[in-house]
Amino acid sequence: MQRVSGSVGDLDRARLFRQKAVTVWLTGLSGAGKSTLAYELERRLIGLGHPCYVLDGDNIRHGLGSDLGFSKEDRRENIRRVAHVARLMNDAGLIVIAALISPMNEDRAMAREIIGDERFVETYLSASVDDCARRDPKGLYAKARAGEIASFTGVSAPYEPPANPDLRVDTVGQSKEASVSGIFDHLNKAFLMKS
Ligand SMILES: Nc1ncnc2c1ncn2[C@@H]1O[C@H](COP(=O)(O)OP(=O)(O)OP(=O)(O)O)[C@@H](O)[C@H]1O
Ligand SMILES: [Mg+2]
């Protein structure tokens, strides 16, 4: 089926919102800081007048992905759906911050393919399994290590760290503010326009 479009183009939306649309794809283990940094980044962008929205894996699973589990295939399908939503939101001119564990290289590559290379910033939040398990903000590592959660990334399911991420953010050796600044500065250079 052919795509249809109106006469409003990317440039019109970029001028309106003073930004080039982009998807910041946050990947990392549970507890690496995806939600924390996503919402902090959103707060900063909105404070500066930049329209943006967080697609957080936990929220997606209540609706768009509510029929999916945590098998390799279901995770892939979840990522495919989120990537298509991100693409639409980028088409609308918004900055998207996607916060999903997205453990497999090939699934993140699929997301890049769907969203478009120039709009996709793969952002690896680096924190080891032990660091995340020490934090254990949701008590999930304790449960997973006790065998109460199947297919838990880093414990009973794999995580493939990106070999060549567009951005790598240390979320253990620095403060949340410093981590979010690393992402913001990257956006500011390449995607945000001054008023
Ligand atoms: N530099 C940092 N960046 C991000 N989070 C940090 C940092 N330093 C400490 N933290 C803490 O680490 C925890 C990260 O938890 P968060 O819920 O954001 O992880 P998550 O990646 O969203 O996990 P999940 O995949 O389970 O949703 C929070 O308690 C946060 O306060
Ligand atoms: Mg989270």
Side-chain angles (χ1 to χ4, degrees):
M1 217 188 312
Q2 235 179 329
R3 286 182 186 271
V4 292
S5 61
S7 59
V8 177
D10 286 348
L11 208 58
D12 299 306
R13 295 181 209 275
R15 277 202 207 101
L16 179 65
F17 293 145
R18 297 182 300 112
Q19 63 192 24
K20 278 205 274 179
V22 61
T23 294
V24 181
W25 191 278
L26 304 179
T27 173
L29 292 165
S30 176
K34 300 179 297 298
S35 301
T36 302
L37 297 183
Y39 286 112
E40 189 54 33
L41 179 63
E42 181 186 55
R43 199 183 62 80
R44 246 160 111 162
L45 289 169
I46 293 287
L48 292 167
H50 288 287
C52 63
Y53 191 68
V54 174
L55 296 175
D56 191 282
D58 279 357
N59 296 341
I60 297 298
R61 284 186 175 276
H62 285 283
L64 191 64
S66 59
D67 55 324
L68 301 172
F70 291 88
S71 68
K72 204 167 178 288
E73 295 70 30
D74 280 9
R75 285 178 194 263
R76 184 172 174 79
E77 175 59 12
N78 192 46
I79 288 164
R80 193 189 68 81
R81 292 180 195 178
V82 171
H84 275 289
V85 173
R87 180 195 161 139
L88 290 171
M89 289 182 141
N90 282 167
D91 283 347
L94 302 176
I95 292 173
V96 173
I97 307 160
L100 289 99
I101 296 175
S102 43
M104 308 308 280
N105 279 318
E106 63 169 6
D107 294 351
R108 295 189 300 264
M110 173 186 65
R112 183 188 292 275
E113 181 84 24
I114 291 168
I115 291 164
D117 189 45
E118 71 293 343
R119 281 178 171 177
F120 190 81
V121 178
E122 186 181 49
T123 305
Y124 173 43
L125 304 193
S126 81
S128 71
V129 175
D130 285 343
D131 286 321
C132 293
R134 211 169 301 125
R135 284 176 179 163
D136 208 3
K138 300 176 184 162
L140 295 176
Y141 282 90
K143 283 192 184 155
R145 286 180 166 177
E148 290 167 29
I149 306 175
S151 299
F152 190 79
T153 304
V155 178
S156 46
Y159 181 80
E160 298 177 344
N164 246 323
D166 299 298
L167 212 54
R168 176 188 300 270
V169 180
D170 175 6
T171 65
V172 178
Q174 60 181 357
S175 68
K176 286 177 245 181
E177 292 70 26
S179 294
V180 87
S181 287
I183 309 174
F184 179 84
D185 291 349
H186 182 85
L187 289 187
N188 202 21
K189 269 186 225 130
F191 297 96
L192 307 184
M193 298 163 203
K194 308 282 172 292
S195 44

